[in-house]
Amino acid sequence: MKPRVSVIVPVYNEGEAILRCLERMLREMLLPAEVLVVHDMPEDTTVPYVEQVARTDPRVRAVLNTYGRGPANAIRFGIDTALAPVVVVTMADGCDDPRQIDELARLVDRGVVVAAASRYMPGGQQVGGPRLKRMMSRWAGRSLYTLARVGTRDATNSFKAYDTAFVREVGIESRTGFEIGLELTAKATRLRLPVAEIPTIWLDRPLGESHFDLGRFLLGYLRWYFFAYGRRLAREKLSGRTTPTGVVPAQRDPQDSTEFEQTA
């Protein structure tokens, strides 16, 4: 059976911890799905545990990213590999609520091109995380929602569902960090395509330490933040800004391989 949703999980040496993430995800999803655990190198410690799960659940696949290291390239590769008309990007660190994967996917089924899990709308909450990053993320989300009318109060959150055809049409220009979520939200806004949100409770990473470097990724986020405020664009003009996501592998950024944590 062809999956209705492809779940993209970028990983970097998660090891045995991936088992808990996959167990919760597979238990909560009801839609026909595939789970693509995308890793940068064959020796990644996550791979043996993913293969262990895959032997008993055919929905799960370990996928080797060939576009270049780092989470942005892993997400790009996962979307290009996906078989379903809807893709959901979620993290392996336990911050996201897997019960909401189906709900996000159904919003895309109903016609939105981006469905966001929102920490900042009524009913949403963020528990833990660095205070400065929380403040900047909340300010960016609220200002984009109010002034640029992007359709979500949490444009920077990576936990989103996308129309696969939309992503492949407009392309992905981001090559570092997790700015992809903001990029695709901004592009949908400029095309005047529908974006929706549902409330989510985000819990800070329960295991390990986040290596997210806000300073190094800030310029990328600012680029897409201001891009969202522009006038309406025609599809052909936006699609012409970049080559298709899978055509030209990105250059490797050796620092990116340690940054598989949730965005700001």
Side-chain angles (χ1 to χ4, degrees), residues 205-243:
R205 183 182 178 98
L207 297 173
E209 179 182 355
S210 172
H211 299 280
F212 184 86
D213 187 342
L214 179 61
R216 191 159 69 89
F217 298 142
L218 184 59
L219 286 179
Y221 281 102
L222 287 174
R223 173 194 180 190
W224 295 113
Y225 176 87
F226 289 113
F227 179 84
Y229 287 92
R231 67 181 63 181
R232 181 172 185 168
L233 285 178
R235 283 177 180 261
E236 57 271 17
K237 185 172 293 188
L238 184 53
S239 300
R241 288 169 52 90
T242 180
T243 56

Side-chain angles (χ1 to χ4, degrees), residues 27-234:
R27 182 181 69 238
E28 301 294 349
M29 291 188 308
L30 299 178
L31 292 174
E34 63 173 354
V35 179
L36 306 180
V37 182
V38 188
H39 54 98
D40 287 343
M41 50 191 181
E43 64 271 22
D44 190 295
T45 63
T46 319
V47 175
Y49 296 99
V50 176
E51 292 175 341
Q52 173 186 322
V53 175
R55 284 193 287 269
T56 58
D57 195 319
R59 292 177 290 176
V60 177
R61 282 196 288 153
V63 178
L64 178 61
N65 162 35
T66 62
Y67 285 0
R69 291 198 175 194
N73 291 319
I75 293 170
R76 290 173 55 235
F77 188 87
I79 292 174
D80 282 346
T81 305
L83 299 176
V86 180
V87 293
V88 174
V89 176
T90 186
M91 300 298 109
D93 55 15
C95 295
D96 301 326
D97 186 349
R99 295 175 299 176
Q100 297 184 301
I101 290 173
D102 285 359
E103 189 176 0
L104 290 167
R106 288 191 177 100
L107 277 175
V108 177
D109 276 344
R110 292 172 58 190
V112 307
V113 297
V114 179
S118 175
R119 298 163 288 184
Y120 307 133
M121 69 178 292
Q125 186 179 358
Q126 178 169 348
V127 180
R131 182 178 180 184
L132 177 61
K133 191 166 70 172
R134 293 201 315 267
M135 292 173 57
M136 294 181 67
S137 174
R138 184 182 294 271
W139 174 85
R142 288 184 173 178
S143 58
L144 284 169
Y145 180 78
T146 303
L147 303 175
R149 299 184 179 181
V150 299
T152 173
R153 299 166 181 83
D154 201 351
T156 64
N157 195 356
S158 290
F159 188 24
K160 289 185 173 74
Y162 305 100
D163 181 294
T164 307
F166 159 74
V167 178
R168 291 174 178 170
E169 178 184 3
V170 303
I172 294 174
E173 299 170 55
S174 301
R175 295 295 184 266
T176 59
F178 288 96
E179 61 193 73
I180 286 175
L182 179 55
E183 173 187 346
L184 293 174
T185 303
K187 286 182 173 181
T189 300
R190 294 290 299 275
L191 290 171
R192 303 301 187 258
L193 295 174
V195 176
E197 64 180 356
I198 60 173
T200 194
I201 297 177
W202 184 93
L203 302 176
D204 193 21
R205 183 182 178 98
L207 297 173
E209 179 182 355
S210 172
H211 299 280
F212 184 86
D213 187 342
L214 179 61
R216 191 159 69 89
F217 298 142
L218 184 59
L219 286 179
Y221 281 102
L222 287 174
R223 173 194 180 190
W224 295 113
Y225 176 87
F226 289 113
F227 179 84
Y229 287 92
R231 67 181 63 181
R232 181 172 185 168
L233 285 178

